[in-house]
Amino acid sequence: MKRTIIILLFVSLFVTFVLSQIPDNDPELCQQRIQREDCPQTPVPWGTFNDNDEIEVYYMQAPVFEAVFGNFFGKLGGYHSAIGFYDLTTGLNYTAEYDAFFEVGNGTLPNIINVDGKDELLWCNAGILCTVPYINETYWDKNIYSTASKTYMGTINGTQLNQYIEWMQQYNISNPVYQTWDVWNNYGQDLFVPSTTCDDFTQQSIEHLGSIGINYNCSTVFKRDYINLFTEKPQPIDFTEHYDDIFKFYEAVLEIKEGSIAQIIERILSIIGLKKYIYVQGEYYLLELNYPFMNAKYDYITLPGCPANGIDYENGNFIHLN
Ligand SMILES: *[C@@H]1O[C@H](CO)[C@@H](O)[C@H](O)[C@H]1NC(C)=O
Ligand SMILES: *[C@@H]1O[C@H](CO)[C@@H](O)[C@H](O)[C@H]1NC(C)=O
Ligand SMILES: *[C@@H]1O[C@H](CO)[C@@H](O)[C@H](O)[C@H]1NC(C)=O
Ligand SMILES: *[C@@H]1O[C@H](CO)[C@@H](O)[C@H](O)[C@H]1NC(C)=O
Ligand SMILES: *[C@@H]1O[C@H](CO)[C@@H](O)[C@H](O)[C@H]1NC(C)=O
Ligand SMILES: *[C@@H]1O[C@H](CO)[C@@H](O)[C@H](O)[C@H]1NC(C)=O
């Protein structure tokens, strides 16, 4: 009797140990290698704008450098994006953007770390709103980086900017996790998991500004990047049961620790024999990839109030995972 209890106790301790995943974005274990000037940990508040201020809104894009994305993406048009505000009344400028706090590599793949002799997966995939009370004219300048651009989107007043600030702070709270992939059954139609990247933030910013009264010129070219994964419906799985396969998968993908998204895509595709997984909101899902498995696209977004010419998240066929 006693013996059974001890064995049961041992088994349950073991199970608890295996089950207890390390918390995501553990502040001790996740370390930013480079602290970005334009993403201060303690953001400078923009203050409150006078209702009558006249403010120009810009959609800003800059090339994501080779160091981050490699040639593959450069050729396709890999951009970082942000929203810029020029307050013509005060002469002050502002930038709002969203990014992976520990950079896109960590936003896309976990780290394998050893805890008490056992391998564990550590995710440092926090996403964060970055707001600075200036526009970095060097980074977003097409005279310096030929593919950078600032596209004038429209003019708002101070009341509208104050409303936008509330919205962006809410966005920051609702989107604490960066998600690189748009997970589709097929592109532009059946979406299982929407991405949460800089482009999602800028797109939703433009949509929100539309809903609070900005008028867009429908001739304005508005495009963004999509990093796509194609699969049958991802199946939620039990982490403990799939522990070995999940590790085999990430070990294979992480084999070369540093790499671009393009290299990550290539590596995932090359490990044909292994089961493939994705991590979404703290849960692992098993994937059954569909042709063309993965790709990246630079595609149109429909402007609010304009005829549809891009992916329509609102009216598209969004399939919930649970
Ligand atoms: C990614 O996360 C690991 C683990 O915390 C950390 O060592 C590394 O510095 C992070 N990379 C960046 C670019 O922040
Ligand atoms: C700001 O713009 C909105 C939307 O066009 C308008 O309803 C509001 O009256 C404007 N406020 C001021 C102070 O001009
Ligand atoms: C804001 O941007 C404008 C246009 O580039 C520039 O002329 C102005 O000096 C900037 N204001 C500040 C305070 O940097
Ligand atoms: C502005 O952008 C340049 C080029 O990317 C960068 O070197 C610099 O640190 C940035 N400055 C600020 C204040 O963010
Ligand atoms: C965004 O949220 C983080 C907490 O996740 C907080 O530290 C940061 O100050 C917020 N940024 C802004 C601009 O509100
Ligand atoms: C809209 O944009 C087009 C193309 O840039 C431009 O030719 C046209 O003048 C703009 N219309 C308005 C009302 O600003």
Side-chain angles (χ1 to χ4, degrees), residues 86 90-93 133-135 137 150:
Y86 287 86
T90 62
L92 299 178
N93 310 321
Y134 60 84
I135 289 175
E137 299 290 351
K150 285 195 216 100

Side-chain angles (χ1 to χ4, degrees), residues 35-45 101 128-133:
Q35 287 198 359
R36 282 171 47 183
E37 231 176 321
D38 60 351
C39 194
Q41 235 150 335
T42 312
V44 182
F101 188 65
I128 195 164
L129 172 70
C130 309
T131 61
V132 288

Side-chain angles (χ1 to χ4, degrees), residues 53-181:
D53 279 11
E54 197 187 334
I55 300 144
E56 287 184 345
V57 179
Y58 284 81
Y59 173 51
M60 307 195 294
Q61 291 175 288
V64 175
F65 299 112
E66 288 222 331
V68 185
F69 281 110
N71 276 327
F72 176 89
F73 237 40
K75 273 184 254 155
L76 277 167
Y79 293 104
H80 182 52
S81 63
I83 302 290
F85 296 98
Y86 287 86
D87 187 332
L88 302 181
T89 312
T90 62
L92 299 178
N93 310 321
Y94 304 84
T95 307
E97 61 192 284
Y98 179 90
D99 214 339
F101 188 65
F102 301 100
E103 297 193 21
V104 175
N106 273 327
T108 312
L109 292 171
N111 297 273
I112 296 178
I113 60 165
N114 198 281
V115 181
D116 301 329
K118 184 169 176 293
D119 281 345
E120 297 277 7
L121 291 173
L122 169 68
W123 284 91
C124 302
N125 58 355
I128 195 164
L129 172 70
C130 309
T131 61
V132 288
Y134 60 84
I135 289 175
N136 185 340
E137 299 290 351
T138 312
Y139 184 58
W140 305 106
D141 186 0
K142 72 167 186 302
N143 295 320
I144 297 174
Y145 301 112
S146 63
T147 52
S149 63
K150 285 195 216 100
T151 306
Y152 171 74
M153 300 304 286
T155 299
I156 56 173
N157 61 39
T159 313
Q160 288 167 301
L161 185 51
N162 291 331
Q163 288 172 325
Y164 173 81
I165 291 169
E166 275 179 41
W167 175 86
M168 75 178 184
Q169 282 165 346
Q170 200 51 52
Y171 186 96
N172 188 35
I173 294 165
S174 325
N175 294 279
V177 173
Y178 190 87
Q179 172 63 255
T180 304
W181 312 96

Side-chain angles (χ1 to χ4, degrees), residues 16 42 115 133-134 150 162 191-192 228 249 273 275 299 317:
T16 321
T42 312
V115 181
Y134 60 84
K150 285 195 216 100
N162 291 331
L191 182 68
F192 297 119
N228 305 304
F249 171 65
K275 287 182 180 163
D299 206 351
N317 189 4

Side-chain angles (χ1 to χ4, degrees), residues 171-216:
Y171 186 96
N172 188 35
I173 294 165
S174 325
N175 294 279
V177 173
Y178 190 87
Q179 172 63 255
T180 304
W181 312 96
D182 271 294
V183 184
W184 306 92
N185 192 312
N186 42 58
Y187 182 68
Q189 286 181 35
D190 308 306
L191 182 68
F192 297 119
V193 182
S195 58
T196 309
T197 63
C198 59
D199 284 339
D200 292 283
F201 171 76
T202 45
Q203 172 178 358
Q204 287 179 42
S205 291
I206 292 299
E207 284 165 358
H208 182 71
L209 289 166
S211 77
I212 59 175
I214 193 173
N215 286 317
Y216 292 115

